[in-house]
Amino acid sequence: MDISLPWGKEYLKVSLPDSWNVNIPKRISYQNKNNLDEEGIIKYALSNPIGLSPLSSLNLAEKRILIVIDDNTRPTPTHKFFHLILDELIKAGANKNLIHLIPGLGIHTPMSESDMAKKIGEHNLKQITWSNHDAFNSKLQHYFGETSLKTPVILNKKLNECDLVVIIGMIEPHLWAGYGGGLKNIFPGLASASAIGEHHVMISKPPYAFNRVGIIPENNDFRLDLEEIKNFIPANMFLLNVILDDKQNIINAFAGDPIKSHREGVKFCIKTSGLKVDKQVDGIIVNSYPMEINFKQSMKCVANSLPALSKNGIVMGFLRAEKGLDDIPLPDKPPPYPILKSLLKLMGKANVIRFLNIVKKDLKVEEKFLAYYTLMLMREYNLFLYVPTLNSKEIRHLGFFHHCNTPQEVIDRASKKLKKNAEIIVFSEGGSTFPIIGNTLDYS
């Protein structure tokens, strides 16, 4: 059986053993019931917010307004509609001189002026002030309190100095939050590095749910914990989240209360990005399209698809990773793969984070938990990946997967680990879809 996987503007073709039982689920095609174009979708959402009044109906005269967007690691096409947000604020009496923009970087790389102009549109950027968030500068942070799970709420102090916070982002499958968007732009987006570390550590505690893609918010303590920050921020908050199709076009938008509107957006995301499958299987074929910018983004296809894989299953991954490692620091070279995998198996789930804390004491927050994630991946599964933009040194230093030099080699090597009549699921758009096993993720 031959299959084709989207690869930039082209396709990769690989041949699968005829003895495999292969399932290629398809996402539903969404037709906008009001026949609206992208700008019309945004206008409709802003005019019909969930749980709040429209921005344009507020009295924003002399009010300090903070707009928080996601950074350039997310494909939110904010430049297509940022002017509509400004229009709504101006209608409500806002003074442009009192509007400030900040990207929710968390601990990501700061954005340059050209990055910001590309993200929101050069004309829009010239109209307001902006700054980067700095998670490591305590002088720019404010302590708000702590959540019920004892996570310190230490956030950018501008959140304590404004009257209105407008949050702009997108909803998609997410590694730990279940789904992106919502208040995630604020926490961890505008949080201190120490607070992010305290929050992220829950993935390494029982039940060791290191991959939470597709878990609905009500069942995900990672999401519920970050949403508690709403109770601490004195300013009013207004959310606008978009949902994209595989071509990065806006197909829906949800505005209003940052939790209530996000919940509605998650329901829609499940319908349009969730792929129904009957059960977990022996192996999954995952392709990074359309999340192909770099290795970290391309790895989303593995995380997104993992719920469909049985324990000790096989991942066959095709990661375009156009910019290679990009801003990921090259880790130290690990022990040989067989030795490290055996060691991880022997030590047990509870000791993986302890092991990491001993051998990698100086890792920054995101590096630490991404390293933990890859160790758990390595412990639980076998990964065969084709990533043509990585060089031999980078492959050796990453060390958590079997690297294949050609697309077909991925299939050929994996087939030696799989039984003859293996059950296989193909996620050809793995960067933007996720599996729904039976009725486990129904959200009614």
Side-chain angles (χ1 to χ4, degrees):
M1 177 182 183
D2 295 337
I3 62 170
S4 295
L5 304 171
W7 193 258
K9 295 181 179 179
E10 301 175 349
Y11 287 86
L12 287 182
K13 293 184 178 181
V14 293
S15 296
L16 312 183
D18 291 332
S19 62
W20 284 359
N21 298 310
V22 180
N23 176 18
I24 308 177
K26 301 293 184 183
R27 66 199 303 179
I28 68 167
S29 178
Y30 174 74
Q31 182 64 42
N32 186 310
K33 62 183 180 181
N34 295 320
N35 241 3
L36 299 174
D37 59 13
E38 290 181 301
E39 192 166 298
I41 290 170
I42 301 299
K43 286 180 177 179
Y44 181 85
L46 291 174
S47 300
N48 299 274
I50 298 166
L52 291 176
S53 300
L55 284 175
S56 58
S57 70
L58 304 179
N59 179 10
L60 297 180
E62 300 309 310
K63 300 294 185 182
R64 298 162 298 176
I65 300 165
L66 180 66
I67 302 177
V68 184
I69 62 170
D70 50 16
D71 65 12
N72 54 2
T73 65
R74 302 291 186 270
T76 312
T78 313
H79 62 279
K80 293 182 178 180
F81 57 83
F82 193 84
H83 64 287
L84 299 177
I85 299 289
L86 287 182
D87 289 347
E88 290 284 295
L89 296 174
I90 299 305
K91 286 178 187 176
N95 181 341
K96 287 183 182 178
N97 294 326
L98 296 178
I99 300 175
H100 189 77
L101 173 69
I102 189 166
L105 296 171
I107 47 180
H108 294 170
T109 304
M111 293 177 70
S112 66
E113 186 161 353
S114 61
D115 290 333
M116 289 294 289
K118 184 177 180 181
K119 185 72 175 181
I120 73 162
E122 186 174 0
H123 173 71
N124 295 321
L125 189 63
K126 289 179 179 179
Q127 299 186 61
I128 56 178
T129 61
W130 73 278
S131 62
N132 276 304
H133 171 64
D134 187 345
F136 302 94
N137 188 342
S138 60
K139 293 180 180 179
L140 301 178
Q141 297 159 7
H142 178 82
Y143 175 77
F144 289 85
E146 66 177 25
T147 69
S148 56
L149 293 180
K150 306 301 181 183
T151 300
V153 183
I154 307 172
L155 305 171
N156 192 295
K157 68 179 184 179
K158 290 187 181 297
L159 290 163
N160 196 49
E161 299 170 346
C162 64
D163 302 295
L164 173 67
V165 183
V166 178
I167 307 163
I168 303 173
M170 65 176 288
I171 300 173
E172 60 176 337
H174 188 268
L175 178 63
W176 296 321
Y179 301 87
L183 286 165
K184 193 172 173 296
N185 266 19
I186 307 297
F187 196 110
L190 296 188
S192 71
S194 61
I196 295 170
E198 291 290 330
H199 174 61
H200 280 37
V201 78
M202 69 177 66
I203 69 167
S204 63
K205 294 180 179 180
Y208 309 109
F210 72 98
N211 193 92
R212 301 176 180 222
V213 168
I215 296 178
I216 62 174
E218 290 84 351
N219 296 339
N220 188 354
D221 58 354
F222 189 97
R223 163 64 67 176
L224 294 175
D225 189 54
L226 72 86
E227 287 183 337
E228 284 191 34
I229 59 118
K230 184 174 184 286
N231 302 326
F232 296 94
I233 297 172
N236 293 320
M237 307 177 83
F238 188 96
L239 178 80
L240 175 65
N241 274 176
V242 300
I243 294 180
L244 310 180
D245 64 13
D246 64 310
K247 301 294 190 298
Q248 309 295 286
N249 297 314
I250 298 169
I251 57 173
N252 212 339
F254 298 83
D257 179 87
I259 294 178
K260 293 178 181 177
S261 61
H262 182 257
R263 293 289 189 273
E264 294 303 312
V266 167
K267 292 177 185 178
F268 182 85
C269 183
I270 289 172
K271 291 177 182 177
T272 55
S273 296
L275 303 177
K276 288 256 187 179
V277 298
D278 294 331
K279 59 183 179 180
Q280 291 183 321
V281 295
D282 306 305
I284 55 175
I285 294 173
V286 300
N287 182 43
S288 60
Y289 182 87
M291 301 299 188
E292 302 178 315
I293 291 175
N294 55 29
F295 182 73
K296 182 165 62 176
Q297 192 190 68
S298 292
M299 269 296 292
K300 284 184 176 184
C301 70
V302 176
N304 288 353
S305 308
L306 212 56
L309 189 61
S310 298
K311 188 176 180 180
N312 298 317
I314 305 295
V315 176
M316 293 162 274
F318 301 86
L319 281 61
R320 186 160 175 257
E322 187 175 352
K323 295 182 179 179
L325 283 188
D326 201 7
D327 61 351
I328 300 177
L330 189 65
D332 296 331
K333 185 179 177 182
Y337 181 94
I339 294 174
L340 181 55
K341 188 175 178 71
S342 298
L343 181 62
L344 291 169
K345 284 281 190 183
L346 287 172
M347 71 175 60
K349 293 180 181 179
N351 293 313
V352 173
I353 193 69
R354 296 171 193 164
F355 169 75
L356 185 60
N357 286 334
I358 292 171
V359 300
K360 301 284 187 180
K361 294 180 181 179
D362 300 324
L363 288 179
K364 294 179 181 179
V365 174
E366 187 170 36
E367 292 171 23
K368 175 180 177 179
F369 288 103
L370 287 175
Y372 171 77
Y373 182 83
T374 57
L375 289 178
M376 290 295 285
L377 265 183
M378 188 179 186
R379 183 184 186 277
E380 301 291 329
Y381 307 100
N382 291 292
L383 288 84
F384 295 87
L385 304 183
Y386 171 65
V387 197
T389 53
L390 296 182
N391 61 44
S392 57
K393 181 179 179 180
E394 290 169 336
I395 293 164
R396 288 195 304 271
H397 281 245
L398 288 170
F400 67 91
F401 59 89
H402 301 285
H403 183 261
C404 301
N405 293 312
T406 67
Q408 189 58 44
E409 185 184 343
V410 173
I411 305 300
D412 294 343
R413 291 181 65 181
S415 65
K416 295 176 182 179
K417 292 274 188 179
L418 288 159
K419 59 188 180 183
K420 186 177 180 180
N421 61 340
E423 298 279 348
I424 307 294
I425 299 178
V426 179
F427 297 98
S428 57
E429 298 171 6
S432 60
T433 61
F434 63 98
I436 300 174
I437 313 297
N439 294 319
T440 55
L441 289 182
D442 276 358
Y443 197 169
S444 56

